Amino acid sequence: MPGADPVSFEFATATRIVFGAGQIREAGNLSKSMGARAWVVTGRNPERAAPLLDSLKGTGIVFELSPIEGEPTIGEVSRAVVKARRFGAELVIGFGGGSALDAGKAIAALVTNEGDSLDYLEVIGMGRPLAKAPLPCIAIPTTAGTGAEVTRNAVLASPEHRVKVSLRSPLMLPRVALVDPALTHGLPAGITSTTGMDALTQLIEPYVSCRSNPFTDAICREGLRRAARSLERAVRRGEDPTAREDMALASLFGGLALANAGLGAVHGFAAPIGGMFPAPHGAVCAVLLPHAMRANVTALRQREPSHEALERFAEIARLLTGRVDATADDGVRWVEELGRRIGIEPLRRFQITEGEVPAIVEKAARASSMKGNPISLTEEELAAILRAAL
């Protein structure tokens, strides 16, 4: 953690970030400098992309739609790569939630790089670096949660291995991140709540990460203020433009932070759980967050009571509650109570049982996200987090 030692860090993000209500109208103009043939990746309902497609038509860009059903699998992406090459794609546009954006970034990377996707994937593949730059990619989120529009990896599921793994490269940062909060206005309350809790997680974990730096700290603080005042409001009043704008910014800031400071135990669990069960990423993070916070605070007090992360957890509590006297425990309670109020449900609804705990813990302990956790948690502590979330 930064402190008395000299400060040294690196920060990288999308080449250009365009933010604001109504900015989707600029998608065509932003695209035309990158190519005339666009491979457009959407979620399962491509009709939501009508404003994007209208903008592309207005600038004469030829496009092909590529809907992704749920979280992208290696097979889906590989098939899309073949079709995108055949189409002669010159750029890729990801439009949707984190799944569509990740699929778009992966397709953009693999279209220009020969070989099998497993050549480049982490954990189950060879993890080779990309040899060639991806196609230009524009990332347009329609949820406020993952921050995938400004991250340098794409998470893909391997049903065969029952795991989700990353295709990762600095070259995968999108050319443009176009964030239009108005695109989130029609989201149902359930999706707003789980994606919003994911955004909150991605502000908390980088802030206490062992890789945090002054740049990401500033981003996290501002994001936490906005999420604290607007997450519940966005769930209950989905057309509230101020709440939607706050959450779009919180999600964007979380993506910037995690891409440059790492994550922690919550995301260490999210990857194996998402690969083993039909559990959406945001829903997993939402229910695990308070339990992981509590476990970290307890472990730090017991084993490293002078660790700076303890004060950071207290600062998080002050930002969330608005109370100058708030403690780390108050922050945990605030997150727990928020989850209760906005309808966050336990993991058992995804058919996760006590018998699965050892296998999940074993995989989570090896996850790359776990390396950012402020303290190394024991298998017993990890198991307790998981059991508490069941």
Side-chain angles (χ1 to χ4, degrees), residues 25-105:
R25 293 190 295 269
E26 296 302 312
N29 288 326
L30 291 167
S31 301
K32 67 181 180 181
S33 64
M34 303 178 201
R37 299 179 69 80
W39 189 258
V40 179
V41 183
T42 71
R44 61 170 55 92
N45 181 11
E47 292 177 6
R48 291 196 66 202
L52 165 65
L53 305 183
D54 289 343
S55 183
L56 295 178
K57 290 172 186 173
T59 51
I61 291 174
V62 178
F63 59 83
E64 185 78 24
L65 282 176
S66 178
I68 293 290
E69 291 285 336
E71 297 185 339
T73 65
I74 295 170
E76 279 181 299
V77 166
S78 296
R79 289 189 289 275
V81 166
V82 173
K83 294 177 183 176
R85 285 177 180 154
R86 206 175 287 148
F87 171 71
E90 297 172 357
L91 73 150
V92 175
I93 302 174
F95 180 97
S99 295
L101 303 193
D102 277 357
K105 289 187 291 183

Coordinates of all heavy atoms in Angstrom, one line a residue, residues 25-105:
R25 N -25.7 9.3 -29.9 CA -25.9 9.9 -31.3 C -24.6 10.1 -32.0 O -24.5 10.2 -33.2 CB -26.6 11.2 -31.2 CG -28.1 11.1 -30.7 CD -28.8 12.4 -30.9 NE -28.2 13.5 -30.0 CZ -28.7 13.7 -28.7 NH1 -29.7 13.0 -28.2 NH2 -28.1 14.7 -28.0
E26 N -23.5 10.1 -31.2 CA -22.2 10.3 -31.8 C -21.5 9.0 -32.2 O -20.4 9.1 -32.8 CB -21.3 11.1 -30.8 CG -21.7 12.5 -30.5 CD -21.9 13.3 -31.7 OE1 -20.9 13.4 -32.5 OE2 -22.9 14.0 -31.9
A27 N -22.1 7.9 -32.0 CA -21.5 6.6 -32.3 C -21.0 6.5 -33.7 O -19.9 6.0 -34.0 CB -22.4 5.5 -31.9
G28 N -21.9 6.9 -34.7 CA -21.5 6.8 -36.1 C -20.3 7.7 -36.4 O -19.4 7.2 -37.1
N29 N -20.3 8.9 -35.9 CA -19.1 9.8 -36.2 C -17.9 9.2 -35.6 O -16.8 9.3 -36.2 CB -19.4 11.2 -35.7 CG -20.5 11.9 -36.5 OD1 -20.5 11.7 -37.7 ND2 -21.3 12.8 -35.9
L30 N -18.0 8.7 -34.4 CA -16.8 8.1 -33.7 C -16.3 6.9 -34.5 O -15.1 6.6 -34.5 CB -17.1 7.7 -32.3 CG -17.4 8.9 -31.3 CD1 -18.0 8.4 -30.0 CD2 -16.1 9.7 -31.0
S31 N -17.2 6.2 -35.1 CA -16.8 4.9 -35.8 C -16.2 5.1 -37.1 O -15.3 4.4 -37.5 CB -18.1 4.0 -36.0 OG -18.7 3.7 -34.7
K32 N -16.6 6.1 -37.8 CA -16.3 6.2 -39.3 C -14.8 6.5 -39.5 O -14.3 6.2 -40.5 CB -17.1 7.3 -40.0 CG -16.9 8.7 -39.5 CD -17.8 9.7 -40.3 CE -17.6 11.1 -39.9 NZ -18.5 12.0 -40.7
S33 N -14.1 7.0 -38.4 CA -12.6 7.2 -38.6 C -11.9 5.9 -38.4 O -10.7 5.8 -38.7 CB -12.1 8.2 -37.6 OG -12.3 7.7 -36.2
M34 N -12.6 4.8 -38.0 CA -11.9 3.6 -37.7 C -12.2 2.5 -38.8 O -11.5 1.5 -38.9 CB -12.4 3.0 -36.4 CG -12.2 3.9 -35.2 SD -12.8 3.2 -33.7 CE -13.0 4.7 -32.7
G35 N -13.2 2.7 -39.6 CA -13.5 1.8 -40.6 C -14.9 1.9 -41.1 O -15.7 2.6 -40.5
A36 N -15.2 1.2 -42.2 CA -16.6 1.3 -42.8 C -17.4 0.1 -42.6 O -18.6 0.1 -42.9 CB -16.4 1.5 -44.3
R37 N -16.8 -1.0 -42.0 CA -17.6 -2.2 -41.8 C -17.4 -2.6 -40.3 O -16.4 -2.9 -39.8 CB -17.0 -3.3 -42.7 CG -17.2 -3.0 -44.2 CD -16.6 -4.1 -45.1 NE -17.4 -5.4 -45.0 CZ -18.6 -5.5 -45.7 NH1 -19.0 -4.6 -46.5 NH2 -19.2 -6.7 -45.6
A38 N -18.6 -2.5 -39.6 CA -18.6 -2.7 -38.1 C -19.2 -4.0 -37.8 O -20.3 -4.4 -38.2 CB -19.3 -1.6 -37.5
W39 N -18.5 -4.8 -36.9 CA -19.1 -6.0 -36.3 C -19.7 -5.6 -35.0 O -19.0 -5.1 -34.1 CB -18.0 -7.1 -36.1 CG -18.6 -8.4 -35.7 CD1 -18.6 -8.9 -34.5 CD2 -19.2 -9.4 -36.6 NE1 -19.2 -10.2 -34.5 CE2 -19.5 -10.5 -35.8 CE3 -19.5 -9.4 -37.9 CZ2 -20.2 -11.6 -36.3 CZ3 -20.1 -10.5 -38.4 CH2 -20.4 -11.6 -37.6
V40 N -21.0 -5.6 -34.8 CA -21.7 -5.1 -33.7 C -22.2 -6.2 -32.7 O -23.0 -7.0 -33.1 CB -22.9 -4.2 -34.1 CG1 -23.6 -3.6 -32.9 CG2 -22.5 -3.1 -35.0
V41 N -21.6 -6.3 -31.6 CA -21.9 -7.3 -30.6 C -22.9 -6.7 -29.6 O -22.7 -5.6 -29.0 CB -20.7 -7.8 -29.8 CG1 -21.0 -8.9 -28.9 CG2 -19.6 -8.2 -30.8
T42 N -24.0 -7.4 -29.4 CA -25.1 -6.9 -28.5 C -25.4 -8.0 -27.5 O -24.9 -9.1 -27.6 CB -26.4 -6.5 -29.3 OG1 -27.0 -7.7 -29.7 CG2 -26.1 -5.6 -30.4
G43 N -26.3 -7.7 -26.6 CA -26.8 -8.7 -25.7 C -27.9 -9.5 -26.4 O -28.0 -9.4 -27.6
R44 N -28.7 -10.2 -25.6 CA -29.6 -11.1 -26.3 C -30.8 -10.4 -27.0 O -31.5 -11.0 -27.8 CB -30.2 -12.1 -25.2 CG -31.0 -11.5 -24.1 CD -31.7 -12.5 -23.3 NE -30.8 -13.6 -22.8 CZ -30.2 -13.5 -21.6 NH1 -30.4 -12.5 -20.8 NH2 -29.4 -14.5 -21.2
N45 N -31.0 -9.1 -26.7 CA -32.0 -8.4 -27.3 C -31.4 -7.2 -28.2 O -31.3 -6.1 -27.7 CB -33.0 -7.8 -26.3 CG -34.1 -7.0 -26.9 OD1 -34.3 -7.1 -28.1 ND2 -34.9 -6.3 -26.1
P46 N -31.1 -7.5 -29.4 CA -30.5 -6.5 -30.3 C -31.3 -5.3 -30.6 O -30.8 -4.3 -31.0 CB -30.1 -7.3 -31.6 CG -31.0 -8.5 -31.5 CD -31.3 -8.8 -30.1
E47 N -32.7 -5.4 -30.3 CA -33.5 -4.3 -30.5 C -33.1 -3.1 -29.6 O -33.4 -1.9 -30.0 CB -35.0 -4.6 -30.2 CG -35.5 -5.6 -31.2 CD -37.0 -6.1 -30.9 OE1 -37.6 -5.5 -30.0 OE2 -37.5 -6.9 -31.6
R48 N -32.5 -3.3 -28.5 CA -32.1 -2.2 -27.6 C -31.0 -1.4 -28.3 O -30.7 -0.3 -27.9 CB -31.5 -2.8 -26.3 CG -32.6 -3.4 -25.4 CD -32.1 -3.6 -24.0 NE -31.8 -2.3 -23.4 CZ -31.0 -2.1 -22.3 NH1 -30.4 -3.1 -21.8 NH2 -30.9 -0.9 -21.8
A49 N -30.3 -2.0 -29.3 CA -29.2 -1.2 -30.0 C -29.7 -0.3 -31.1 O -28.9 0.3 -31.8 CB -28.2 -2.2 -30.6
A50 N -31.1 -0.1 -31.2 CA -31.6 0.7 -32.3 C -31.0 2.1 -32.3 O -30.6 2.6 -33.4 CB -33.1 0.9 -32.1
P51 N -30.7 2.8 -31.2 CA -30.1 4.1 -31.3 C -28.7 4.1 -31.9 O -28.3 5.0 -32.6 CB -30.1 4.6 -29.8 CG -31.1 3.8 -29.1 CD -31.1 2.5 -29.8
L52 N -28.0 3.0 -31.6 CA -26.6 2.8 -32.1 C -26.7 2.6 -33.6 O -26.0 3.2 -34.4 CB -25.9 1.7 -31.4 CG -24.7 1.1 -32.1 CD1 -23.6 2.2 -32.2 CD2 -24.2 -0.2 -31.5
L53 N -27.6 1.7 -34.0 CA -27.7 1.3 -35.4 C -28.2 2.5 -36.3 O -27.7 2.7 -37.4 CB -28.7 0.1 -35.6 CG -28.3 -1.1 -34.7 CD1 -29.3 -2.3 -35.1 CD2 -26.9 -1.5 -35.0
D54 N -29.1 3.3 -35.7 CA -29.5 4.5 -36.4 C -28.3 5.5 -36.7 O -28.2 6.0 -37.8 CB -30.6 5.2 -35.6 CG -31.9 4.5 -35.6 OD1 -32.1 3.6 -36.5 OD2 -32.8 4.8 -34.8
S55 N -27.5 5.6 -35.7 CA -26.3 6.5 -35.8 C -25.3 5.9 -36.8 O -24.8 6.7 -37.6 CB -25.6 6.6 -34.4 OG -24.6 7.5 -34.5
L56 N -25.2 4.6 -36.8 CA -24.2 4.0 -37.8 C -24.8 4.2 -39.2 O -24.1 4.5 -40.2 CB -24.0 2.5 -37.5 CG -23.3 2.2 -36.2 CD1 -23.3 0.7 -36.1 CD2 -21.9 2.8 -36.2
K57 N -26.1 4.0 -39.4 CA -26.7 4.1 -40.7 C -26.6 5.6 -41.2 O -26.3 5.8 -42.4 CB -28.2 3.8 -40.7 CG -28.5 2.3 -40.5 CD -30.0 2.1 -40.2 CE -30.3 0.6 -39.9 NZ -31.7 0.4 -39.5
G58 N -26.7 6.5 -40.3 CA -26.6 7.9 -40.7 C -25.2 8.3 -41.2 O -25.1 9.3 -41.9
T59 N -24.2 7.5 -40.9 CA -22.8 7.8 -41.4 C -22.4 6.8 -42.5 O -21.2 6.8 -42.9 CB -21.8 7.8 -40.3 OG1 -21.9 6.6 -39.5 CG2 -22.0 9.1 -39.4
G60 N -23.3 6.0 -42.9 CA -23.0 5.1 -44.0 C -22.2 3.9 -43.7 O -21.6 3.2 -44.6
I61 N -22.1 3.5 -42.4 CA -21.3 2.4 -42.0 C -22.1 1.1 -42.2 O -23.3 1.0 -41.8 CB -20.9 2.5 -40.5 CG1 -19.8 3.6 -40.4 CG2 -20.3 1.2 -40.0 CD1 -19.4 4.0 -39.0
V62 N -21.5 0.1 -42.8 CA -22.1 -1.2 -43.0 C -21.9 -2.0 -41.7 O -20.7 -2.0 -41.2 CB -21.6 -1.9 -44.2 CG1 -22.2 -3.3 -44.4 CG2 -21.8 -1.1 -45.5
F63 N -22.9 -2.7 -41.2 CA -22.7 -3.5 -40.0 C -23.3 -4.8 -40.0 O -24.3 -5.1 -40.8 CB -23.2 -2.7 -38.8 CG -24.6 -2.3 -38.8 CD1 -25.6 -3.2 -38.4 CD2 -25.0 -1.0 -39.3 CE1 -27.0 -2.9 -38.5 CE2 -26.4 -0.7 -39.4 CZ -27.3 -1.6 -39.0
E64 N -22.9 -5.7 -39.2 CA -23.5 -7.0 -39.0 C -23.7 -7.2 -37.5 O -22.8 -6.9 -36.7 CB -22.5 -8.1 -39.5 CG -23.1 -9.5 -39.4 CD -24.1 -9.8 -40.6 OE1 -24.0 -9.1 -41.6 OE2 -24.9 -10.7 -40.4
L65 N -24.9 -7.6 -37.1 CA -25.2 -7.8 -35.7 C -24.8 -9.2 -35.2 O -24.9 -10.2 -35.9 CB -26.7 -7.7 -35.5 CG -27.3 -6.3 -35.5 CD1 -28.8 -6.3 -35.3 CD2 -26.7 -5.5 -34.3
S66 N -24.3 -9.2 -34.0 CA -23.8 -10.5 -33.4 C -24.3 -10.6 -32.0 O -23.5 -10.2 -31.0 CB -22.3 -10.5 -33.5 OG -21.8 -11.7 -32.9
P67 N -25.5 -11.0 -31.7 CA -26.1 -11.1 -30.4 C -25.4 -12.2 -29.5 O -25.0 -13.2 -30.1 CB -27.5 -11.4 -30.6 CG -27.8 -11.2 -32.0 CD -26.5 -11.4 -32.7
I68 N -25.1 -11.9 -28.3 CA -24.5 -12.8 -27.3 C -25.6 -13.2 -26.3 O -26.2 -12.3 -25.6 CB -23.3 -12.2 -26.6 CG1 -22.2 -12.0 -27.6 CG2 -22.8 -13.1 -25.5 CD1 -21.5 -13.2 -28.1
E69 N -25.9 -14.5 -26.2 CA -26.9 -15.0 -25.2 C -26.2 -15.2 -23.8 O -25.5 -16.2 -23.6 CB -27.5 -16.3 -25.7 CG -28.3 -16.2 -26.9 CD -29.7 -15.6 -26.6 OE1 -30.1 -15.6 -25.5 OE2 -30.3 -15.0 -27.5
G70 N -26.4 -14.3 -22.9 CA -25.8 -14.4 -21.6 C -24.3 -14.1 -21.6 O -23.8 -13.4 -22.5
E71 N -23.6 -14.7 -20.6 CA -22.2 -14.5 -20.5 C -21.5 -15.3 -21.6 O -21.8 -16.4 -21.8 CB -21.7 -14.8 -19.1 CG -22.3 -14.0 -18.1 CD -21.8 -14.2 -16.7 OE1 -21.2 -15.3 -16.4 OE2 -22.0 -13.3 -15.8
P72 N -20.5 -14.6 -22.3 CA -19.9 -15.3 -23.5 C -19.1 -16.5 -23.2 O -18.3 -16.5 -22.2 CB -19.1 -14.2 -24.1 CG -18.7 -13.3 -22.9 CD -19.9 -13.3 -22.0
T73 N -19.2 -17.5 -24.0 CA -18.4 -18.7 -23.9 C -17.2 -18.6 -24.9 O -17.3 -17.9 -25.9 CB -19.2 -20.0 -24.1 OG1 -19.6 -20.0 -25.5 CG2 -20.4 -20.0 -23.2
I74 N -16.2 -19.4 -24.7 CA -15.1 -19.5 -25.6 C -15.6 -19.9 -27.0 O -15.2 -19.4 -28.0 CB -14.0 -20.5 -25.1 CG1 -13.4 -20.0 -23.8 CG2 -13.0 -20.7 -26.2 CD1 -12.5 -21.0 -23.1
G75 N -16.5 -20.9 -27.0 CA -17.1 -21.4 -28.3 C -17.8 -20.3 -29.0 O -17.7 -20.2 -30.3
E76 N -18.7 -19.5 -28.3 CA -19.4 -18.5 -29.0 C -18.5 -17.4 -29.6 O -18.7 -17.0 -30.7 CB -20.3 -17.8 -28.0 CG -21.6 -18.4 -27.6 CD -22.4 -17.6 -26.6 OE1 -21.9 -17.4 -25.5 OE2 -23.5 -17.2 -27.0
V77 N -17.5 -17.1 -28.9 CA -16.6 -16.0 -29.4 C -15.8 -16.6 -30.6 O -15.6 -15.9 -31.5 CB -15.6 -15.6 -28.2 CG1 -14.4 -14.8 -28.8 CG2 -16.4 -14.7 -27.2
S78 N -15.4 -17.8 -30.5 CA -14.6 -18.4 -31.6 C -15.4 -18.4 -32.9 O -14.9 -18.1 -34.0 CB -14.1 -19.8 -31.2 OG -13.2 -19.8 -30.2
R79 N -16.7 -18.8 -32.7 CA -17.6 -18.8 -33.9 C -17.8 -17.4 -34.5 O -17.8 -17.2 -35.7 CB -18.9 -19.5 -33.6 CG -18.8 -21.0 -33.3 CD -20.2 -21.6 -33.2 NE -20.8 -21.3 -32.0 CZ -20.7 -21.9 -30.8 NH1 -19.8 -22.9 -30.7 NH2 -21.3 -21.5 -29.7
A80 N -17.9 -16.4 -33.6 CA -18.1 -15.0 -34.0 C -16.9 -14.5 -34.7 O -17.0 -13.7 -35.7 CB -18.5 -14.2 -32.8
V81 N -15.7 -14.9 -34.3 CA -14.5 -14.5 -34.9 C -14.4 -15.0 -36.4 O -14.0 -14.2 -37.3 CB -13.2 -15.0 -34.1 CG1 -12.0 -14.9 -34.9 CG2 -13.1 -14.3 -32.8
V82 N -14.8 -16.2 -36.6 CA -14.8 -16.7 -38.0 C -15.8 -15.9 -38.9 O -15.4 -15.5 -40.0 CB -15.2 -18.2 -38.0 CG1 -15.4 -18.7 -39.4 CG2 -14.2 -19.1 -37.3
K83 N -16.9 -15.6 -38.3 CA -17.9 -14.8 -39.1 C -17.5 -13.4 -39.3 O -17.7 -12.8 -40.4 CB -19.3 -14.8 -38.4 CG -19.9 -16.2 -38.3 CD -21.2 -16.2 -37.5 CE -21.8 -17.5 -37.3 NZ -23.0 -17.5 -36.5
A84 N -16.8 -12.8 -38.3 CA -16.4 -11.4 -38.4 C -15.3 -11.3 -39.5 O -15.2 -10.3 -40.3 CB -15.9 -10.9 -37.1
R85 N -14.4 -12.3 -39.5 CA -13.3 -12.3 -40.6 C -14.0 -12.4 -42.0 O -13.6 -11.7 -42.9 CB -12.4 -13.5 -40.3 CG -11.4 -13.3 -39.2 CD -10.6 -14.5 -39.0 NE -9.6 -14.4 -37.9 CZ -9.1 -15.4 -37.2 NH1 -9.5 -16.6 -37.5 NH2 -8.2 -15.2 -36.3
R86 N -15.0 -13.3 -42.1 CA -15.7 -13.5 -43.4 C -16.4 -12.2 -43.8 O -16.4 -11.9 -45.0 CB -16.7 -14.7 -43.2 CG -17.0 -15.4 -44.5 CD -17.9 -16.6 -44.2 NE -17.2 -17.7 -43.5 CZ -17.7 -18.5 -42.6 NH1 -19.0 -18.4 -42.3 NH2 -17.0 -19.5 -42.1
F87 N -16.9 -11.5 -42.8 CA -17.6 -10.3 -43.1 C -16.7 -9.2 -43.5 O -17.1 -8.2 -44.2 CB -18.4 -9.9 -41.8 CG -19.0 -8.5 -41.9 CD1 -20.1 -8.2 -42.7 CD2 -18.5 -7.5 -41.1 CE1 -20.7 -6.9 -42.7 CE2 -19.1 -6.2 -41.1 CZ -20.2 -5.9 -41.9
G88 N -15.4 -9.3 -43.1 CA -14.4 -8.2 -43.4 C -14.5 -7.1 -42.5 O -14.3 -5.9 -42.8
A89 N -14.8 -7.4 -41.2 CA -14.9 -6.4 -40.2 C -13.7 -5.5 -40.1 O -12.5 -6.0 -40.0 CB -15.2 -7.0 -38.8
E90 N -13.9 -4.2 -40.0 CA -12.8 -3.3 -39.8 C -12.7 -2.7 -38.4 O -11.7 -2.1 -38.0 CB -12.9 -2.2 -40.9 CG -12.8 -2.7 -42.3 CD -13.1 -1.6 -43.3 OE1 -13.4 -0.5 -43.0 OE2 -12.9 -1.9 -44.5
L91 N -13.8 -2.8 -37.7 CA -13.9 -2.4 -36.3 C -15.0 -3.2 -35.6 O -15.8 -3.8 -36.3 CB -14.2 -0.9 -36.1 CG -15.6 -0.4 -36.4 CD1 -16.0 0.8 -35.6 CD2 -15.8 -0.1 -37.9
V92 N -14.9 -3.3 -34.3 CA -15.9 -4.0 -33.5 C -16.5 -3.0 -32.5 O -15.8 -2.2 -31.9 CB -15.2 -5.2 -32.7 CG1 -16.3 -5.9 -31.8 CG2 -14.6 -6.2 -33.7
I93 N -17.8 -3.1 -32.4 CA -18.6 -2.3 -31.4 C -19.3 -3.2 -30.4 O -20.1 -4.1 -30.8 CB -19.6 -1.4 -32.1 CG1 -18.9 -0.5 -33.1 CG2 -20.3 -0.5 -31.0 CD1 -19.9 0.4 -33.9
G94 N -19.0 -3.1 -29.2 CA -19.7 -3.8 -28.1 C -20.7 -2.9 -27.5 O -20.4 -1.8 -27.0
F95 N -22.0 -3.4 -27.5 CA -23.1 -2.6 -27.0 C -23.9 -3.5 -26.1 O -24.5 -4.5 -26.5 CB -24.0 -2.1 -28.2 CG -25.2 -1.3 -27.8 CD1 -25.1 0.1 -27.8 CD2 -26.4 -1.9 -27.4 CE1 -26.2 0.9 -27.5 CE2 -27.5 -1.1 -27.0 CZ -27.4 0.2 -27.1
G96 N -23.9 -3.2 -24.8 CA -24.7 -4.0 -23.9 C -24.1 -4.0 -22.5 O -23.3 -3.0 -22.1
G97 N -24.4 -5.0 -21.7 CA -23.8 -5.2 -20.4 C -22.3 -5.7 -20.5 O -21.8 -5.8 -21.6
G98 N -21.7 -6.0 -19.4 CA -20.4 -6.5 -19.4 C -20.1 -7.6 -20.3 O -19.0 -7.8 -20.9
S99 N -21.1 -8.5 -20.5 CA -20.9 -9.7 -21.3 C -20.7 -9.3 -22.8 O -19.8 -9.8 -23.5 CB -22.1 -10.7 -21.2 OG -22.2 -11.2 -19.9
A100 N -21.5 -8.4 -23.3 CA -21.4 -8.0 -24.7 C -20.1 -7.2 -24.9 O -19.5 -7.4 -25.9 CB -22.6 -7.1 -25.0
L101 N -19.7 -6.4 -23.9 CA -18.5 -5.6 -24.0 C -17.3 -6.6 -24.0 O -16.3 -6.4 -24.8 CB -18.3 -4.6 -22.9 CG -19.5 -3.6 -22.8 CD1 -19.0 -2.4 -21.9 CD2 -19.9 -3.0 -24.2
D102 N -17.3 -7.6 -23.1 CA -16.2 -8.5 -23.1 C -16.1 -9.3 -24.4 O -15.0 -9.6 -24.9 CB -16.3 -9.5 -21.9 CG -15.8 -8.9 -20.6 OD1 -15.2 -7.8 -20.6 OD2 -15.9 -9.5 -19.6
A103 N -17.3 -9.7 -24.9 CA -17.3 -10.5 -26.1 C -16.7 -9.6 -27.3 O -15.9 -10.1 -28.1 CB -18.7 -11.0 -26.5
G104 N -17.1 -8.4 -27.3 CA -16.6 -7.5 -28.3 C -15.1 -7.3 -28.3 O -14.4 -7.4 -29.3
K105 N -14.6 -7.1 -27.1 CA -13.1 -7.0 -27.0 C -12.4 -8.2 -27.4 O -11.3 -8.2 -28.0 CB -12.8 -6.6 -25.5 CG -13.2 -5.2 -25.2 CD -12.7 -4.7 -23.8 CE -13.4 -5.5 -22.7 NZ -12.9 -5.0 -21.3

